[in-house]
Amino acid sequence: MSAGLQAASSSREDFAALLEESFREHEITEGSVVKGRVVAIEKDVAVIDIGAKTEGRVALKEFTGPGRDQPIAVGDEVEVYVDRIENALGEAVISRDKARREESWVKLEKAFENNERVSGTIFNQVKGGYTVDLDGAVAFLPRSQVDIRPVRDVTPLMGTPQPFQILKMDRRRGNIVVSRRTVLEESRAEQRSELVANLEEGQVIDGVVKNITEYGAFVDLGGIDGLLHVTDMAWRRVNHPSEVVNIGQTVKVKIIKINHETHRISLGIKQLLADPWEGIAARYPVDAKLKGRVTNITDYGAFVELEPGIEGLIHVSEMSWTKKNVHPGKIVSTSQEVEVQILEVDPVKRRISLGLKQTLQNPWEAFSEKHPAGTEVEGEVKNKTEFGLFIGLEGDVDGMVHLSDLDWNRPGEQVIDEFKKGDVVRAQVLDVDVEKERISLGIKQLAGDPFADAGDGIRKNQVVTCEVLEVKDSGIEVKIVDSDLQAFIRRADLARERNDQRPERFAAGEKLDARVTQFDRKARRVQLSIKALEMAEEKEAIAQFGSADSGASLGDILGAALKARQADKK
């Protein structure tokens, strides 16, 4: 081969190598981000040359958006994302949005790893929150993460670049969740730390009431809020904070406590005023009576305001002498003016015990004065129990008739069945115990005491005439003639001889003589014996008419004694 041909061949090879290298430098792959130059702008699209004689079209709207208002011009260099190298028209399919998104994802992932804030713009509202443009990447901003407090209208925030904190990222799903609230809380915490550092407990400052709740009011102290609790608004009882402060009102408060860890500040207004509890014992001596206004009623009593900032409690047990199990609201009402008595004052615990019933006369004392023991009263049967009757009496008090005071002769368990609830009965006052609030009554006492009526007419060993009331297997029930005394003669006392100790020998209505073997007025007991009478008569007859060894028989002696007694009766 000649030298000319060799030279020509070598030159062609060099050109081919250079051309291949040039193509490699401009090699474009689908799914990559490449740089291109704007070669023309036609209506709403920009024609971009991405190299290797390849052009693509990108809508102009992809170059604009929130925070990107600078227009593009021919000759500008831009980065685009290559979807396809060539379509049916022989053009490349490229996208500025996707390129920006890819670029943003890289920056965002780095910011997320380093826990750094990113800048973005809220541009649309979606279900549950808003969308944020993070320089091409679209993130979701939940409604709860917009602000520290709920925001009703987000319009003023839209279209304005502001910082966000990335909470979650998932590139595979293209999911980014951001928060504006976290940024605000961090900024606020920094401000609060600086502000709290300049405040001291005991300091008195001015603040503006920002919000009112059921338990107090939040006061702005110049960038940091403090809580003015309802109990620290006034020395008196405050039912609702709105009674003392209004939203927007400037108030002078005292810093009670500062928690430097949580940055919580407790405020007080009443601490700026004189403490009404100082010298309380001297102003309210025990047993003093005064008037007050009922401010609150609970299950256990009622609170009464004695002066602004000073309240006392009337316990339910000190409200009424007679109404024991009644709710305080049925005795007094809120705002009612009542007269009370000071029962106890405790300056340390800041408690005053009051009594309402002490201002009224004790009904048991009044009853005792008007109805001393022995007085006859009338009342309605309120209740029947296993141990007696409860009778409603004058003064709204009750008296009790014990079973043993219902009847002289019959058992109380039997007599109580004759009474029913609502019956009006008469009784005698037996005793009034004012301290224990008890009144003892008796019904049988109205009929007189048979033992008292018997007086000295009956004594031990006296022979009395009785009338048989009832015959029983164990003996006979009798009544002493000319008295109301009843007694039971046991079977063993019916006769001297055992064969004659038969109750059936007697009949109801029959009269007989018996000897009093026991008469205990205190124990209310009388015992009779026919046997004792017969033995006494025998002894007397022997003494008068002969002895057992005189030769006379016992029958002769008793016969003579009987005739002598009959003669005496005539």
Side-chain angles (χ1 to χ4, degrees), residues 154-213:
V154 190
T155 303
L157 300 176
M158 297 182 73
T160 304
Q162 49 200 305
F164 294 90
Q165 188 77 34
I166 300 176
L167 302 180
K168 181 181 177 182
M169 286 192 72
D170 188 339
R171 186 163 189 174
R172 183 173 61 84
R173 296 183 178 181
N175 183 23
I176 305 175
V177 180
V178 295
S179 171
R180 179 175 176 267
R181 175 179 176 173
T182 302
V183 175
L184 295 177
E185 285 178 343
E186 290 178 357
S187 301
R188 187 180 182 186
E190 294 172 359
Q191 295 175 359
R192 287 173 67 92
S193 298
E194 184 178 348
L195 290 170
V196 169
N198 296 324
L199 297 176
E200 295 179 358
E201 293 183 2
Q203 183 178 351
V204 178
I205 57 176
D206 290 331
V208 179
V209 179
K210 288 181 60 178
N211 189 28
I212 294 177
T213 67

Side-chain angles (χ1 to χ4, degrees), residues 494-518:
L494 290 178
R496 178 176 179 276
E497 298 296 332
R498 187 176 183 86
N499 292 334
D500 294 331
Q501 295 175 351
R502 293 177 286 107
E504 59 270 20
R505 290 174 49 226
F506 303 92
E510 180 182 348
K511 292 185 178 180
L512 53 86
D513 289 341
R515 184 171 182 146
V516 179
T517 57
Q518 183 182 10

